[in-house]
Amino acid sequence: MDRIRIVGGNKLNGVIPISGAKNAALPLMIASLLTDDTLTLENVPHLADVEQLIRILGNHGVDISVNGRRERQGESYARTIHFTCRNIVDTTAPYELVSKMRASFWVIGPLLAREGRARVSLPGGCAIGTRPVDLFIEGLAALSANIEIDGGYVNATAPEGGLIGARYTFPKVSVGATHVLMMAATLANGTTVLGNAAREPEVVDLANCLNAMGAKITGQGTSTITIEGVRSLSGARHRVLPDRIETGTYAMAVAMTGGDVILEDTDMALLDTALEAIRRAGAEITATNSGIRVVRNGAGIKPVDIVTDPFPGFPTDLQAQFMGLMTMAKGTSHITETIFENRFMHVQELARLGAKISLSGQTAKIEGVSRLKGAPVMATDLRASVSLVIAGLAAEGETMVSRVYHLDRGFERLEEKLTRCGAHVERVSD
Ligand code: EPZ
């Protein structure tokens, strides 16, 4: 199993290209199930989660062809992928596939809208919490779907003439349930109004792509989204938006090690709240023509308190990385996680590097230390594992991160991007 070896202490200087967003690419790929025409997505990141979803969509009958930009070591990235689903050949998403990646549950929306039925395995729990699917079920039922849960599967059927538009207000903000209800409602009869919808940029990206396919969606980016149902959708060409979590992660890495880095092909507007927190921690952040420049010279890291929240709040997907940064702040900071109940697995691993963190309920208290010292650590989930990489970059000596398959789910060419900026990071295959 691969591991990542980091020798800390180098500042980061250079340019890091930001990839297309994993969390936008996944729902966009799933939207290809809504049409028999070709959906072409540009700037799709080369990640384990994308490959897994390609397998899942193939199982439903989506024909997929990839045009890669072939670069370095014969690997392709920033790929353009064509998805064509002439016919849905299977409306079942089996446990073996869904259990590997929670987002694959989202196929339930398009399958139900286009075929009138879907049988999708419950995704089950995951390392960051129980993550139920009640909002999906309640929302689809509001569109008149009949839903039964049997043997670990959700069996959903639409009425004779298809789903029926309705008003539905989410009792809690959910990115995935907003994606699914929005996709399902595009082909419903009549108009759907979703209240308390997620406002994340990835929701806006999906809505824009669906509109390019012929859907009639308005209000994306606000908490009320209106979808006027249409009879069918066509193909489209769409570019996946930049990965705001990758952007924020590298910005925090620079704030941690010091240095001067340009994050290319990204946009400050995608992560205002997180960038503001990094600024308050002592880094200078400015817009460039094609991205963001992050600089930290001289001054130490200041303690900053944050609370995670749905967009436009501080993203839960950057919480672990920010904690990594705060471990070396000159003072005490507090981080409160409000989205997931168990997203602090990185605390114990950061402690192995010398961090001083104590937990009380959903709040972590971080007492900054003047130095971290490299150690063997274990990746526990995608974002937790990259927080260990960030801390390892600033720690003295060698940090060896095991179970890096978590990182491969969401960070394209991590070692290469960091090495080109002067970090000492390498992948070790046993
Ligand atoms: C998306 O997950 C992201 N995944 C997550 O990123 C991200 O952490 C999360 O949104 C929050 O921003 C993708 O986009 C693929 P939610 P999602 O439904 O949609 C509860 C990463 O590291 N909830 O917005 O699954 C849920 O348990 C991943 O890239 C219900 O109670 O998250 C959570 O507490 C991890 N019932 C809260 O809502 C439901 O039916 C928000 O979850 C659905 C969700």
Side-chain angles (χ1 to χ4, degrees), residues 22-23 26 102-103 106 128 131-136 172-177 200 316-317 339-340 343 382-383:
K22 165 182 85 83
N23 288 350
L26 299 178
R102 181 177 160 90
W106 301 351
I128 60 176
R131 301 178 84 185
V133 293
D134 53 327
L135 304 178
F136 297 80
K172 176 176 189 175
V173 177
S174 161
V175 175
E200 269 66 3
T316 172
D317 290 349
I339 310 289
F340 293 111
R343 210 173 195 183
L382 170 55
R383 310 305 176 181

PDB file of all heavy atoms in Angstrom, residues 22-23 26 102-103 106 128 131-136 172-177 200 316-317 339-340 343 382-383, ligand 1:
ATOM      1  N   LYS A  22     -13.847  18.007  -7.440  1.00  0.00           N
ATOM      2  CA  LYS A  22     -14.426  16.661  -7.302  1.00  0.00           C
ATOM      3  C   LYS A  22     -15.917  16.745  -6.995  1.00  0.00           C
ATOM      4  O   LYS A  22     -16.727  16.046  -7.609  1.00  0.00           O
ATOM      5  CB  LYS A  22     -13.718  15.904  -6.165  1.00  0.00           C
ATOM      6  CG  LYS A  22     -14.459  14.656  -5.702  1.00  0.00           C
ATOM      7  CD  LYS A  22     -13.782  13.964  -4.551  1.00  0.00           C
ATOM      8  CE  LYS A  22     -14.104  14.466  -3.170  1.00  0.00           C
ATOM      9  NZ  LYS A  22     -15.340  13.949  -2.559  1.00  0.00           N
ATOM     10  N   ASN A  23     -16.276  17.604  -6.037  1.00  0.00           N
ATOM     11  CA  ASN A  23     -17.667  17.616  -5.577  1.00  0.00           C
ATOM     12  C   ASN A  23     -18.630  18.294  -6.544  1.00  0.00           C
ATOM     13  O   ASN A  23     -19.836  18.281  -6.335  1.00  0.00           O
ATOM     14  CB  ASN A  23     -17.756  18.241  -4.176  1.00  0.00           C
ATOM     15  CG  ASN A  23     -17.187  17.292  -3.127  1.00  0.00           C
ATOM     16  OD1 ASN A  23     -16.901  16.131  -3.428  1.00  0.00           O
ATOM     17  ND2 ASN A  23     -17.005  17.780  -1.919  1.00  0.00           N
ATOM     18  N   LEU A  26     -18.753  15.056  -9.607  1.00  0.00           N
ATOM     19  CA  LEU A  26     -19.567  13.861  -9.325  1.00  0.00           C
ATOM     20  C   LEU A  26     -21.053  14.076  -9.674  1.00  0.00           C
ATOM     21  O   LEU A  26     -21.614  13.309 -10.452  1.00  0.00           O
ATOM     22  CB  LEU A  26     -19.387  13.407  -7.868  1.00  0.00           C
ATOM     23  CG  LEU A  26     -17.953  13.006  -7.462  1.00  0.00           C
ATOM     24  CD1 LEU A  26     -17.895  12.629  -5.984  1.00  0.00           C
ATOM     25  CD2 LEU A  26     -17.423  11.846  -8.304  1.00  0.00           C
ATOM     26  N   ARG A 102     -20.405   7.394  -1.064  1.00  0.00           N
ATOM     27  CA  ARG A 102     -21.757   7.830  -0.713  1.00  0.00           C
ATOM     28  C   ARG A 102     -22.460   8.576  -1.851  1.00  0.00           C
ATOM     29  O   ARG A 102     -23.658   8.410  -2.074  1.00  0.00           O
ATOM     30  CB  ARG A 102     -21.661   8.719   0.530  1.00  0.00           C
ATOM     31  CG  ARG A 102     -22.989   9.217   1.000  1.00  0.00           C
ATOM     32  CD  ARG A 102     -22.863  10.030   2.255  1.00  0.00           C
ATOM     33  NE  ARG A 102     -24.047  10.866   2.417  1.00  0.00           N
ATOM     34  CZ  ARG A 102     -25.138  10.500   3.066  1.00  0.00           C
ATOM     35  NH1 ARG A 102     -25.208   9.314   3.640  1.00  0.00           N
ATOM     36  NH2 ARG A 102     -26.165  11.307   3.149  1.00  0.00           N
ATOM     37  N   ALA A 103     -21.700   9.382  -2.611  1.00  0.00           N
ATOM     38  CA  ALA A 103     -22.342  10.196  -3.661  1.00  0.00           C
ATOM     39  C   ALA A 103     -23.012   9.333  -4.728  1.00  0.00           C
ATOM     40  O   ALA A 103     -23.897   9.817  -5.449  1.00  0.00           O
ATOM     41  CB  ALA A 103     -21.322  11.126  -4.298  1.00  0.00           C
ATOM     42  N   TRP A 106     -26.739   9.232  -5.172  1.00  0.00           N
ATOM     43  CA  TRP A 106     -27.436  10.326  -5.860  1.00  0.00           C
ATOM     44  C   TRP A 106     -28.018   9.917  -7.212  1.00  0.00           C
ATOM     45  O   TRP A 106     -28.841  10.638  -7.775  1.00  0.00           O
ATOM     46  CB  TRP A 106     -26.501  11.528  -6.039  1.00  0.00           C
ATOM     47  CG  TRP A 106     -25.973  12.071  -4.741  1.00  0.00           C
ATOM     48  CD1 TRP A 106     -26.366  11.736  -3.475  1.00  0.00           C
ATOM     49  CD2 TRP A 106     -24.922  13.044  -4.572  1.00  0.00           C
ATOM     50  NE1 TRP A 106     -25.633  12.430  -2.539  1.00  0.00           N
ATOM     51  CE2 TRP A 106     -24.749  13.239  -3.176  1.00  0.00           C
ATOM     52  CE3 TRP A 106     -24.116  13.765  -5.457  1.00  0.00           C
ATOM     53  CZ2 TRP A 106     -23.804  14.124  -2.655  1.00  0.00           C
ATOM     54  CZ3 TRP A 106     -23.177  14.653  -4.942  1.00  0.00           C
ATOM     55  CH2 TRP A 106     -23.025  14.826  -3.556  1.00  0.00           C
ATOM     56  N   ILE A 128     -16.974   9.771   8.833  1.00  0.00           N
ATOM     57  CA  ILE A 128     -17.229  11.092   9.421  1.00  0.00           C
ATOM     58  C   ILE A 128     -18.622  11.220  10.046  1.00  0.00           C
ATOM     59  O   ILE A 128     -19.035  12.299  10.409  1.00  0.00           O
ATOM     60  CB  ILE A 128     -16.971  12.245   8.416  1.00  0.00           C
ATOM     61  CG1 ILE A 128     -17.858  12.162   7.176  1.00  0.00           C
ATOM     62  CG2 ILE A 128     -15.510  12.307   8.026  1.00  0.00           C
ATOM     63  CD1 ILE A 128     -17.672  13.348   6.221  1.00  0.00           C
ATOM     64  N   ARG A 131     -24.559  10.031   8.652  1.00  0.00           N
ATOM     65  CA  ARG A 131     -24.986  10.520   7.339  1.00  0.00           C
ATOM     66  C   ARG A 131     -26.221   9.796   6.787  1.00  0.00           C
ATOM     67  O   ARG A 131     -26.131   9.012   5.836  1.00  0.00           O
ATOM     68  CB  ARG A 131     -23.821  10.464   6.356  1.00  0.00           C
ATOM     69  CG  ARG A 131     -22.635  11.287   6.822  1.00  0.00           C
ATOM     70  CD  ARG A 131     -21.464  11.201   5.885  1.00  0.00           C
ATOM     71  NE  ARG A 131     -21.556  12.125   4.771  1.00  0.00           N
ATOM     72  CZ  ARG A 131     -20.684  12.163   3.772  1.00  0.00           C
ATOM     73  NH1 ARG A 131     -19.673  11.336   3.757  1.00  0.00           N
ATOM     74  NH2 ARG A 131     -20.822  13.029   2.789  1.00  0.00           N
ATOM     75  N   PRO A 132     -27.377  10.066   7.361  1.00  0.00           N
ATOM     76  CA  PRO A 132     -28.612   9.408   6.904  1.00  0.00           C
ATOM     77  C   PRO A 132     -29.082   9.903   5.538  1.00  0.00           C
ATOM     78  O   PRO A 132     -28.496  10.827   4.974  1.00  0.00           O
ATOM     79  CB  PRO A 132     -29.622   9.793   7.980  1.00  0.00           C
ATOM     80  CG  PRO A 132     -29.099  11.045   8.589  1.00  0.00           C
ATOM     81  CD  PRO A 132     -27.602  11.000   8.461  1.00  0.00           C
ATOM     82  N   VAL A 133     -30.168   9.311   5.006  1.00  0.00           N
ATOM     83  CA  VAL A 133     -30.701   9.732   3.696  1.00  0.00           C
ATOM     84  C   VAL A 133     -32.167  10.161   3.804  1.00  0.00           C
ATOM     85  O   VAL A 133     -32.879  10.213   2.823  1.00  0.00           O
ATOM     86  CB  VAL A 133     -30.558   8.618   2.618  1.00  0.00           C
ATOM     87  CG1 VAL A 133     -29.103   8.367   2.289  1.00  0.00           C
ATOM     88  CG2 VAL A 133     -31.264   7.344   3.049  1.00  0.00           C
ATOM     89  N   ASP A 134     -32.602  10.487   5.037  1.00  0.00           N
ATOM     90  CA  ASP A 134     -34.010  10.840   5.246  1.00  0.00           C
ATOM     91  C   ASP A 134     -34.472  12.028   4.388  1.00  0.00           C
ATOM     92  O   ASP A 134     -35.603  12.047   3.903  1.00  0.00           O
ATOM     93  CB  ASP A 134     -34.268  11.129   6.741  1.00  0.00           C
ATOM     94  CG  ASP A 134     -33.306  12.157   7.318  1.00  0.00           C
ATOM     95  OD1 ASP A 134     -32.139  12.188   6.874  1.00  0.00           O
ATOM     96  OD2 ASP A 134     -33.707  12.943   8.193  1.00  0.00           O
ATOM     97  N   LEU A 135     -33.599  12.990   4.160  1.00  0.00           N
ATOM     98  CA  LEU A 135     -34.013  14.179   3.400  1.00  0.00           C
ATOM     99  C   LEU A 135     -34.259  13.845   1.932  1.00  0.00           C
ATOM    100  O   LEU A 135     -35.147  14.412   1.297  1.00  0.00           O
ATOM    101  CB  LEU A 135     -32.953  15.282   3.501  1.00  0.00           C
ATOM    102  CG  LEU A 135     -32.574  15.730   4.917  1.00  0.00           C
ATOM    103  CD1 LEU A 135     -31.492  16.792   4.875  1.00  0.00           C
ATOM    104  CD2 LEU A 135     -33.803  16.254   5.648  1.00  0.00           C
ATOM    105  N   PHE A 136     -33.486  12.916   1.396  1.00  0.00           N
ATOM    106  CA  PHE A 136     -33.686  12.492   0.003  1.00  0.00           C
ATOM    107  C   PHE A 136     -35.060  11.825  -0.102  1.00  0.00           C
ATOM    108  O   PHE A 136     -35.823  12.074  -1.026  1.00  0.00           O
ATOM    109  CB  PHE A 136     -32.643  11.453  -0.418  1.00  0.00           C
ATOM    110  CG  PHE A 136     -31.221  11.942  -0.413  1.00  0.00           C
ATOM    111  CD1 PHE A 136     -30.490  12.034   0.759  1.00  0.00           C
ATOM    112  CD2 PHE A 136     -30.603  12.299  -1.603  1.00  0.00           C
ATOM    113  CE1 PHE A 136     -29.187  12.480   0.745  1.00  0.00           C
ATOM    114  CE2 PHE A 136     -29.293  12.743  -1.625  1.00  0.00           C
ATOM    115  CZ  PHE A 136     -28.579  12.836  -0.445  1.00  0.00           C
ATOM    116  N   LYS A 172     -33.163  20.688   6.946  1.00  0.00           N
ATOM    117  CA  LYS A 172     -31.747  20.912   7.243  1.00  0.00           C
ATOM    118  C   LYS A 172     -31.057  21.079   5.892  1.00  0.00           C
ATOM    119  O   LYS A 172     -31.458  20.435   4.924  1.00  0.00           O
ATOM    120  CB  LYS A 172     -31.244  19.647   7.950  1.00  0.00           C
ATOM    121  CG  LYS A 172     -29.807  19.593   8.267  1.00  0.00           C
ATOM    122  CD  LYS A 172     -29.525  18.320   9.058  1.00  0.00           C
ATOM    123  CE  LYS A 172     -28.106  18.358   9.578  1.00  0.00           C
ATOM    124  NZ  LYS A 172     -27.809  17.217  10.431  1.00  0.00           N
ATOM    125  N   VAL A 173     -30.047  21.909   5.826  1.00  0.00           N
ATOM    126  CA  VAL A 173     -29.381  22.125   4.532  1.00  0.00           C
ATOM    127  C   VAL A 173     -28.569  20.881   4.163  1.00  0.00           C
ATOM    128  O   VAL A 173     -27.761  20.404   4.957  1.00  0.00           O
ATOM    129  CB  VAL A 173     -28.427  23.349   4.598  1.00  0.00           C
ATOM    130  CG1 VAL A 173     -27.692  23.518   3.273  1.00  0.00           C
ATOM    131  CG2 VAL A 173     -29.196  24.602   4.952  1.00  0.00           C
ATOM    132  N   SER A 174     -28.809  20.354   2.977  1.00  0.00           N
ATOM    133  CA  SER A 174     -28.036  19.196   2.507  1.00  0.00           C
ATOM    134  C   SER A 174     -27.633  19.412   1.051  1.00  0.00           C
ATOM    135  O   SER A 174     -28.481  19.640   0.188  1.00  0.00           O
ATOM    136  CB  SER A 174     -28.875  17.915   2.619  1.00  0.00           C
ATOM    137  OG  SER A 174     -28.333  16.896   1.788  1.00  0.00           O
ATOM    138  N   VAL A 175     -26.334  19.319   0.809  1.00  0.00           N
ATOM    139  CA  VAL A 175     -25.815  19.487  -0.552  1.00  0.00           C
ATOM    140  C   VAL A 175     -26.342  18.363  -1.438  1.00  0.00           C
ATOM    141  O   VAL A 175     -26.934  18.595  -2.493  1.00  0.00           O
ATOM    142  CB  VAL A 175     -24.262  19.478  -0.529  1.00  0.00           C
ATOM    143  CG1 VAL A 175     -23.699  19.515  -1.932  1.00  0.00           C
ATOM    144  CG2 VAL A 175     -23.746  20.649   0.291  1.00  0.00           C
ATOM    145  N   GLY A 176     -26.157  17.116  -0.984  1.00  0.00           N
ATOM    146  CA  GLY A 176     -26.542  15.966  -1.807  1.00  0.00           C
ATOM    147  C   GLY A 176     -28.036  15.937  -2.094  1.00  0.00           C
ATOM    148  O   GLY A 176     -28.465  15.697  -3.235  1.00  0.00           O
ATOM    149  N   ALA A 177     -28.862  16.195  -1.071  1.00  0.00           N
ATOM    150  CA  ALA A 177     -30.312  16.137  -1.276  1.00  0.00           C
ATOM    151  C   ALA A 177     -30.748  17.274  -2.209  1.00  0.00           C
ATOM    152  O   ALA A 177     -31.689  17.106  -3.001  1.00  0.00           O
ATOM    153  CB  ALA A 177     -31.038  16.195   0.069  1.00  0.00           C
ATOM    154  N   GLU A 200     -24.170  26.004  -2.047  1.00  0.00           N
ATOM    155  CA  GLU A 200     -22.775  25.739  -2.409  1.00  0.00           C
ATOM    156  C   GLU A 200     -22.523  26.000  -3.898  1.00  0.00           C
ATOM    157  O   GLU A 200     -23.415  25.752  -4.730  1.00  0.00           O
ATOM    158  CB  GLU A 200     -22.443  24.266  -2.091  1.00  0.00           C
ATOM    159  CG  GLU A 200     -21.874  23.994  -0.708  1.00  0.00           C
ATOM    160  CD  GLU A 200     -22.833  24.267   0.452  1.00  0.00           C
ATOM    161  OE1 GLU A 200     -24.006  24.619   0.223  1.00  0.00           O
ATOM    162  OE2 GLU A 200     -22.396  24.144   1.608  1.00  0.00           O
ATOM    163  N   THR A 316     -16.891  22.708   6.074  1.00  0.00           N
ATOM    164  CA  THR A 316     -16.430  21.557   6.884  1.00  0.00           C
ATOM    165  C   THR A 316     -15.272  20.833   6.197  1.00  0.00           C
ATOM    166  O   THR A 316     -14.404  20.276   6.850  1.00  0.00           O
ATOM    167  CB  THR A 316     -17.593  20.579   7.166  1.00  0.00           C
ATOM    168  OG1 THR A 316     -17.074  19.406   7.780  1.00  0.00           O
ATOM    169  CG2 THR A 316     -18.337  20.149   5.916  1.00  0.00           C
ATOM    170  N   ASP A 317     -15.241  20.870   4.869  1.00  0.00           N
ATOM    171  CA  ASP A 317     -14.178  20.162   4.143  1.00  0.00           C
ATOM    172  C   ASP A 317     -12.817  20.846   4.268  1.00  0.00           C
ATOM    173  O   ASP A 317     -11.818  20.332   3.758  1.00  0.00           O
ATOM    174  CB  ASP A 317     -14.546  20.019   2.657  1.00  0.00           C
ATOM    175  CG  ASP A 317     -15.690  19.039   2.444  1.00  0.00           C
ATOM    176  OD1 ASP A 317     -16.046  18.323   3.400  1.00  0.00           O
ATOM    177  OD2 ASP A 317     -16.230  18.993   1.322  1.00  0.00           O
ATOM    178  N   ILE A 339     -21.375  20.480  11.047  1.00  0.00           N
ATOM    179  CA  ILE A 339     -22.010  19.731   9.944  1.00  0.00           C
ATOM    180  C   ILE A 339     -22.019  18.228  10.219  1.00  0.00           C
ATOM    181  O   ILE A 339     -23.046  17.568  10.074  1.00  0.00           O
ATOM    182  CB  ILE A 339     -21.307  20.008   8.597  1.00  0.00           C
ATOM    183  CG1 ILE A 339     -21.140  21.520   8.360  1.00  0.00           C
ATOM    184  CG2 ILE A 339     -22.051  19.331   7.435  1.00  0.00           C
ATOM    185  CD1 ILE A 339     -22.411  22.283   8.048  1.00  0.00           C
ATOM    186  N   PHE A 340     -20.862  17.694  10.582  1.00  0.00           N
ATOM    187  CA  PHE A 340     -20.771  16.247  10.828  1.00  0.00           C
ATOM    188  C   PHE A 340     -20.376  15.995  12.283  1.00  0.00           C
ATOM    189  O   PHE A 340     -19.549  16.715  12.835  1.00  0.00           O
ATOM    190  CB  PHE A 340     -19.738  15.606   9.896  1.00  0.00           C
ATOM    191  CG  PHE A 340     -20.170  15.646   8.452  1.00  0.00           C
ATOM    192  CD1 PHE A 340     -19.513  16.455   7.544  1.00  0.00           C
ATOM    193  CD2 PHE A 340     -21.237  14.891   8.005  1.00  0.00           C
ATOM    194  CE1 PHE A 340     -19.903  16.506   6.217  1.00  0.00           C
ATOM    195  CE2 PHE A 340     -21.649  14.936   6.677  1.00  0.00           C
ATOM    196  CZ  PHE A 340     -20.984  15.740   5.785  1.00  0.00           C
ATOM    197  N   ARG A 343     -16.221  14.424  12.905  1.00  0.00           N
ATOM    198  CA  ARG A 343     -15.184  14.789  11.946  1.00  0.00           C
ATOM    199  C   ARG A 343     -13.935  15.344  12.643  1.00  0.00           C
ATOM    200  O   ARG A 343     -13.400  16.384  12.268  1.00  0.00           O
ATOM    201  CB  ARG A 343     -15.729  15.799  10.945  1.00  0.00           C
ATOM    202  CG  ARG A 343     -15.034  15.640   9.610  1.00  0.00           C
ATOM    203  CD  ARG A 343     -15.611  16.463   8.519  1.00  0.00           C
ATOM    204  NE  ARG A 343     -15.112  15.954   7.246  1.00  0.00           N
ATOM    205  CZ  ARG A 343     -15.395  16.495   6.080  1.00  0.00           C
ATOM    206  NH1 ARG A 343     -16.168  17.550   6.003  1.00  0.00           N
ATOM    207  NH2 ARG A 343     -14.902  15.974   4.975  1.00  0.00           N
ATOM    208  N   LEU A 382     -10.541  11.637   3.705  1.00  0.00           N
ATOM    209  CA  LEU A 382      -9.928  12.480   2.683  1.00  0.00           C
ATOM    210  C   LEU A 382      -9.339  13.789   3.219  1.00  0.00           C
ATOM    211  O   LEU A 382      -8.161  14.088   3.030  1.00  0.00           O
ATOM    212  CB  LEU A 382     -11.018  12.756   1.641  1.00  0.00           C
ATOM    213  CG  LEU A 382     -10.779  13.780   0.576  1.00  0.00           C
ATOM    214  CD1 LEU A 382      -9.509  13.465  -0.172  1.00  0.00           C
ATOM    215  CD2 LEU A 382     -11.975  13.781  -0.371  1.00  0.00           C
ATOM    216  N   ARG A 383     -10.175  14.586   3.884  1.00  0.00           N
ATOM    217  CA  ARG A 383      -9.703  15.915   4.305  1.00  0.00           C
ATOM    218  C   ARG A 383      -8.814  15.808   5.533  1.00  0.00           C
ATOM    219  O   ARG A 383      -7.895  16.598   5.715  1.00  0.00           O
ATOM    220  CB  ARG A 383     -10.886  16.845   4.573  1.00  0.00           C
ATOM    221  CG  ARG A 383     -11.919  16.880   3.464  1.00  0.00           C
ATOM    222  CD  ARG A 383     -11.366  17.219   2.097  1.00  0.00           C
ATOM    223  NE  ARG A 383     -12.414  17.147   1.062  1.00  0.00           N
ATOM    224  CZ  ARG A 383     -12.204  17.367  -0.219  1.00  0.00           C
ATOM    225  NH1 ARG A 383     -10.989  17.631  -0.681  1.00  0.00           N
ATOM    226  NH2 ARG A 383     -13.197  17.284  -1.089  1.00  0.00           N
TER     227      ARG A 383
HETATM  228  C1  EPZ B   1     -21.318  16.920   0.460  1.00  0.00           C
HETATM  229  O1  EPZ B   1     -21.700  15.740   1.138  1.00  0.00           O
HETATM  230  C2  EPZ B   1     -19.865  16.752   0.100  1.00  0.00           C
HETATM  231  N1  EPZ B   1     -19.711  15.579  -0.760  1.00  0.00           N
HETATM  232  C3  EPZ B   1     -19.042  16.596   1.366  1.00  0.00           C
HETATM  233  O2  EPZ B   1     -17.681  16.517   0.998  1.00  0.00           O
HETATM  234  C4  EPZ B   1     -19.241  17.817   2.257  1.00  0.00           C
HETATM  235  O3  EPZ B   1     -18.547  17.623   3.472  1.00  0.00           O
HETATM  236  C5  EPZ B   1     -20.722  17.999   2.542  1.00  0.00           C
HETATM  237  O4  EPZ B   1     -21.468  18.072   1.299  1.00  0.00           O
HETATM  238  C6  EPZ B   1     -21.028  19.263   3.343  1.00  0.00           C
HETATM  239  O5  EPZ B   1     -20.534  20.369   2.663  1.00  0.00           O
HETATM  240  C7  EPZ B   1     -19.877  15.698  -2.072  1.00  0.00           C
HETATM  241  O6  EPZ B   1     -20.232  16.746  -2.601  1.00  0.00           O
HETATM  242  C8  EPZ B   1     -19.613  14.486  -2.889  1.00  0.00           C
HETATM  243  P1  EPZ B   1     -24.807  16.961   3.208  1.00  0.00           P
HETATM  244  P2  EPZ B   1     -23.219  15.424   1.433  1.00  0.00           P
HETATM  245  O7  EPZ B   1     -25.964  16.166   2.745  1.00  0.00           O
HETATM  246  O8  EPZ B   1     -24.038  15.981   0.334  1.00  0.00           O
HETATM  247  C9  EPZ B   1     -27.061  15.526   7.155  1.00  0.00           C
HETATM  248  C10 EPZ B   1     -15.516  15.545   0.944  1.00  0.00           C
HETATM  249  O9  EPZ B   1     -14.609  15.449   1.810  1.00  0.00           O
HETATM  250  N2  EPZ B   1     -28.038  14.828   6.310  1.00  0.00           N
HETATM  251  O10 EPZ B   1     -24.764  18.411   2.862  1.00  0.00           O
HETATM  252  O11 EPZ B   1     -23.304  13.990   1.725  1.00  0.00           O
HETATM  253  C11 EPZ B   1     -25.673  14.917   7.079  1.00  0.00           C
HETATM  254  O12 EPZ B   1     -25.549  13.788   7.905  1.00  0.00           O
HETATM  255  C12 EPZ B   1     -16.963  15.278   1.294  1.00  0.00           C
HETATM  256  O13 EPZ B   1     -15.302  15.830  -0.249  1.00  0.00           O
HETATM  257  C13 EPZ B   1     -29.155  14.294   6.928  1.00  0.00           C
HETATM  258  O14 EPZ B   1     -29.336  14.394   8.141  1.00  0.00           O
HETATM  259  O15 EPZ B   1     -23.454  16.275   2.748  1.00  0.00           O
HETATM  260  C14 EPZ B   1     -24.824  16.083   7.526  1.00  0.00           C
HETATM  261  O16 EPZ B   1     -24.828  16.169   8.918  1.00  0.00           O
HETATM  262  C15 EPZ B   1     -17.141  14.661   2.624  1.00  0.00           C
HETATM  263  N3  EPZ B   1     -30.065  13.617   6.156  1.00  0.00           N
HETATM  264  C16 EPZ B   1     -25.559  17.282   6.946  1.00  0.00           C
HETATM  265  O17 EPZ B   1     -26.884  16.828   6.644  1.00  0.00           O
HETATM  266  C17 EPZ B   1     -29.916  13.493   4.807  1.00  0.00           C
HETATM  267  O18 EPZ B   1     -30.778  12.872   4.168  1.00  0.00           O
HETATM  268  C18 EPZ B   1     -24.974  17.853   5.676  1.00  0.00           C
HETATM  269  O19 EPZ B   1     -24.693  16.794   4.768  1.00  0.00           O
HETATM  270  C19 EPZ B   1     -28.787  14.062   4.190  1.00  0.00           C
HETATM  271  C20 EPZ B   1     -27.860  14.727   4.974  1.00  0.00           C
END
